[in-house]
Amino acid sequence: DLYQNLEVVGSLGAGVDHLFSDPSLPKHVKLTRVVDEKLSDDMQEFVLALCLNQIKNLNTYSQSNHEWNPLHYRRVNDVTVGILGFGTLGQAVGKKLQSVGFKVVGWSKSEKHVDGIQSFAKNELDEFLSHCEILVCLLPLTDETKGILNKELFHKLPDGAYIINVARGGHLKEEDLIDGLTSKKISGATLDVFQKE
């Protein structure tokens, strides 16, 4: 009622799903979002940095005999990263990771064809997950994908898998992640998004 001439509501981010949950949003209003050519580049570099940070243990030190020593690290060509949501952005992130030597697999509703990256389709989720030492979520948030990062999915990953959620907070069942971390099924997680921001 306050904005009777309102025609457009713009999200200052890449997504608009947070606007759908607002009951005061008039049905006739158009929604817009930020579309920035640099978003893909930024996301590629961000995910690459997170993957490297995880396998190189850059933020973690252990103390024994009163000496601070870095922990064991892994090499990129020994690690498989799975991209859950292998659309345009997921493929760009996968190519970036592949370019520095990571083994990359992707999953989406339909099989994609990217040189050197194995693509899994809708009915092959379990097989896809079995390869993912690092799992990157880049899915859109839909009724099908809401809560997909849950205990059932975690149990299909290799032991000690690492989770990176750079998509939407609604994908993750946070209590299941805590259980996975406590049981050491999951070695850690980077969450760029949360159920409640």
Side-chain angles (χ1 to χ4, degrees):
D1 292 339
L2 290 176
Y3 304 102
Q4 294 178 4
N5 296 324
L6 184 65
E7 294 181 21
V8 177
V9 172
S11 172
L12 295 178
V16 295
D17 45 277
H18 62 286
L19 295 174
F20 295 138
S21 63
D22 186 344
S24 69
L25 183 71
K27 301 295 181 209
H28 71 279
V29 171
K30 293 181 182 177
L31 300 180
T32 64
R33 64 186 179 94
V34 172
V35 177
D36 183 350
E37 61 188 36
K38 298 205 183 290
L39 174 66
S40 177
D41 292 341
D42 290 346
M43 184 61 76
Q44 291 171 50
E45 292 175 10
F46 183 55
V47 173
L48 173 60
L50 294 174
C51 290
L52 288 170
N53 187 58
Q54 168 59 16
I55 70 168
K56 298 300 182 183
N57 287 306
L58 296 179
N59 292 334
T60 309
Y61 283 78
S62 65
Q63 184 184 28
S64 60
N65 299 325
H66 304 288
E67 293 180 18
W68 289 98
N69 297 307
L71 297 174
H72 171 74
Y73 64 89
R74 299 178 68 192
R75 291 181 171 83
V76 292
N77 55 6
D78 295 329
V79 177
T80 300
V81 180
I83 309 293
L84 185 62
F86 203 50
T88 303
L89 185 56
Q91 289 174 47
V93 169
K95 288 175 190 175
K96 175 64 82 175
L97 294 169
Q98 181 190 41
S99 74
V100 299
F102 282 102
K103 292 179 244 173
V104 179
V105 294
W107 181 89
S108 57
K109 282 187 175 181
S110 60
E111 186 177 353
K112 304 295 192 284
H113 300 282
V114 177
D115 287 343
I117 298 179
Q118 185 176 5
S119 174
F120 294 86
K122 186 172 181 101
N123 296 329
E124 302 170 315
L125 181 60
D126 290 0
E127 185 180 353
F128 161 77
L129 293 170
S130 72
H131 296 280
C132 301
E133 297 168 277
I134 297 176
L135 178 66
V136 179
C137 182
L138 279 166
L139 289 167
L141 186 61
T142 66
D143 289 341
E144 284 184 333
T145 65
K146 187 174 184 180
I148 193 171
L149 298 177
N150 59 38
K151 190 177 295 187
E152 182 182 338
L153 181 141
F154 297 154
H155 282 290
K156 295 173 182 174
L157 294 168
D159 288 344
Y162 190 83
I163 307 295
I164 297 173
N165 187 12
V166 288
R168 298 287 179 265
H171 289 120
L172 177 66
K173 289 193 174 177
E174 295 171 357
E175 63 278 6
D176 287 1
L177 176 62
I178 292 169
D179 290 345
L181 293 167
T182 302
S183 70
K184 306 247 190 275
K185 176 62 183 174
I186 304 299
S187 64
T190 297
L191 307 179
D192 189 47
V193 289
F194 300 90
Q195 292 278 358
K196 290 189 178 180
E197 293 288 340

